[in-house]
Amino acid sequence: MTPSTRLAIPFNRPNLAGSENQYLAEAIAAGPLAGDGPFTKRATALLKNLLGAPAALLTTSCTHALDMAALLLDLRPGDEVVVPSFTFCSTANAFALRGAVPVFVDCRPDTLNLDERLLEAAITERTRAVVVVHYAGVGCEMDAIQAIADRHGLPVVEDNAHGLGATYRGRPLGSFGALATQSFHETKNVQCGEGGALIFNDVRYLDRAEIIREKGTNRGQFFRGMVDKYRWMDIGSSYLPSDLLAAFLTAQLEHFAASQRRRMRVWDTYQRELAGWAAQQGAIQPTVPAGREHPAHLYYLLLPDLDTRQGLLKHLAEHGVHGTFHYQPLHLAPAGLAFGRTAPGGCPVTEDVADRLIRLPLYAGLRDHELDRILAAVHSYEPRLA
Ligand SMILES: Cc1ncc(COP(=O)(O)O)c(C=O)c1O
């Protein structure tokens, strides 16, 4: 082991609330380990409360929640769904899986969210939905997006993988779309290794969603005593997580406020301590427009160009700090080219920021001396002065 690997500060360290072991032991002792057991009910109630949502279903991932959303929208080959290009592939893949065409729209240069000024031009008579992603948990321009979607009679799907705990004009992210999705992957603010949820702000989707999530059966109705046997009712798959995962998630959700305080402290320290360096080096710090509270999901910087970004990644690695880049444009990805279409005007901002963005370690368990080391490592990178 070299000194730098021994001392390395990882990019992510999954946070533990402390009660996970106890809840896992309780779940094992209580018995039902399949989905929709007692801990699933507890975690779902906590999540609904956090989001002010009328209904939620835990899923095995955000990807699967998006897959369910695409099934619920009854998409057919040739339908179109507007998505940002600057996002994770699952945001588009869910719709491509149904044979629909993801139509890629560019992002805003400030928040890196879907640019609402380009949305209307991307909508055609084949468009069936608008999907938004709140990058880094900073809310999209939801008023403008919702107004355009309403004008065209289109449902909005919120991929809220980053935005749990954030707000837009005082309202939780995840409470805007007819459907919204959450991720509980180990890199997220609340995590159970792999997991997710589908949130229903329009409860008309709920009954069918329960069936889709249970292999296309009405098993949920059977367990509630509403039918005397359960049968294959619709297409579906197995999207419900084991109650063991829900036990882990319950611990995490109960601990959310405390872990958020620690994440916010790290984010605020980066923002404050890197301001001078960023100004000197021509780097841009994250923008959080007025009326938005972000959840300290990730901390990024936009460097002046690709070489400077690559240089900083290498410099950090030499100092035992694992930084990383983020999304590569979906409209240029092999599957994006094969299954999608780029909206008029292309996605020049997405292409530009994908090359220049670097993310720094950010997690509740980041220790003060590690944060100091990361800051010192960034401060000692001065390509402009070299
Ligand atoms: C915006 C976005 N959507 C969806 C996903 C997929 O989440 P999961 O790993 O829970 O399927 C990710 C993963 O990081 C993401 O960043």
Side-chain angles (χ1 to χ4, degrees):
M1 195 182 267
T2 65
S4 74
T5 52
R6 185 162 44 82
L7 296 173
I9 300 170
F11 178 68
N12 182 51
R13 207 182 270 139
N15 182 45
L16 289 179
S19 39
E20 286 87 352
N21 280 334
Q22 182 200 327
Y23 287 1
L24 282 167
E26 281 177 27
I28 292 165
L33 299 184
D36 282 340
F39 275 108
T40 303
K41 291 186 180 58
R42 265 174 82 171
T44 307
L46 287 163
L47 186 60
K48 277 169 56 181
N49 190 38
L50 199 56
L51 292 168
L57 291 174
L58 296 192
T59 59
T60 28
S61 63
C62 184
T63 300
H64 276 168
L66 287 161
D67 290 357
M68 284 183 65
L71 282 161
L72 287 165
L73 293 175
D74 248 335
L75 298 174
R76 309 278 155 182
D79 288 346
E80 293 181 353
V81 176
V82 177
V83 299
S85 174
F86 191 67
T87 179
F88 191 68
C89 58
S90 297
T91 318
N93 184 73
F95 303 98
L97 257 179
R98 314 274 17 108
V101 179
V103 176
F104 297 111
V105 172
D106 208 0
C107 62
R108 293 180 58 99
D110 52 1
T111 57
L112 314 187
N113 286 332
L114 183 139
D115 192 332
E116 72 288 351
R117 296 162 296 193
L118 306 173
L119 177 55
E120 196 120 41
I123 293 173
T124 71
E125 74 281 359
R126 307 183 101 172
T127 309
R128 296 290 171 264
V130 174
V131 186
V132 296
V133 175
H134 307 293
Y135 185 69
V138 176
C140 295
E141 299 294 331
M142 286 314 295
D143 288 345
I145 290 169
Q146 195 64 61
I148 296 168
D150 287 349
R151 201 155 56 237
H152 292 268
L154 297 170
V156 172
V157 177
E158 259 180 293
D159 178 343
N160 196 32
H162 298 188
L164 190 64
T167 60
Y168 171 84
R169 296 197 201 286
R171 221 173 113 181
L173 299 186
S175 72
F176 288 88
L179 296 166
T181 64
Q182 299 295 154
S183 174
F184 303 124
H185 182 261
E186 68 162 5
T187 51
K188 300 304 186 293
N189 294 29
V190 165
Q191 56 94 19
C192 58
E194 301 276 0
L198 182 58
I199 312 300
F200 301 84
N201 299 305
D202 182 343
V203 290
R204 283 174 300 180
Y205 292 104
L206 182 60
D207 287 347
R208 187 164 177 235
E210 279 191 342
I211 290 171
I212 286 172
R213 177 169 165 268
E214 264 282 20
K215 300 94 179 165
T217 73
N218 54 349
R219 191 149 82 157
Q221 294 171 6
F222 173 68
F223 284 135
R224 289 197 295 274
M226 294 162 69
V227 290
D228 59 358
K229 53 176 116 44
Y230 70 87
R231 297 187 301 164
W232 183 30
M233 306 296 286
D234 199 342
I235 54 169
S237 192
S238 185
Y239 295 122
L240 71 172
S242 154
D243 218 44
L244 289 172
L245 283 175
F248 195 103
L249 193 61
T250 301
Q252 292 268 313
L253 286 165
E254 285 178 351
H255 193 251
F256 185 56
S259 67
Q260 281 300 99
R261 277 194 293 278
R262 288 161 67 184
R263 290 187 83 103
M264 286 306 292
R265 227 188 97 231
V266 176
W267 196 99
D268 288 344
T269 306
Y270 279 142
Q271 190 78 340
R272 188 183 61 245
E273 298 297 323
L274 293 176
W277 175 88
Q280 210 176 20
Q281 300 301 324
I284 296 169
Q285 297 182 286
T287 304
V288 183
R292 265 151 273 207
E293 283 171 347
H294 72 89
H297 173 55
L298 56 88
Y299 191 85
Y300 70 87
L301 293 163
L302 288 173
L303 280 298
D305 51 44
L306 176 65
D307 284 348
T308 318
R309 196 270 303 272
Q310 295 306 95
L312 180 53
L313 283 174
K314 185 163 169 284
H315 179 83
L316 291 177
E318 284 162 4
H319 286 74
V321 176
H322 185 192
T324 185
F325 54 92
H326 211 182
Y327 303 130
Q328 296 307 291
L330 289 185
H331 68 288
L332 298 178
L337 292 166
F339 302 118
R341 171 170 81 70
T342 304
C347 302
V349 180
T350 300
E351 290 171 32
D352 177 47
V353 298
D355 278 351
R356 299 196 285 121
L357 189 145
I358 188 167
R359 290 187 295 160
L360 300 177
L362 168 56
Y363 33 93
L366 192 70
R367 299 172 194 109
D368 283 350
H369 68 88
E370 293 175 318
L371 187 53
D372 289 345
R373 271 188 57 198
I374 298 166
L375 289 168
V378 176
H379 281 134
S380 63
Y381 181 65
E382 297 183 334
R384 281 236 170 139
L385 306 180

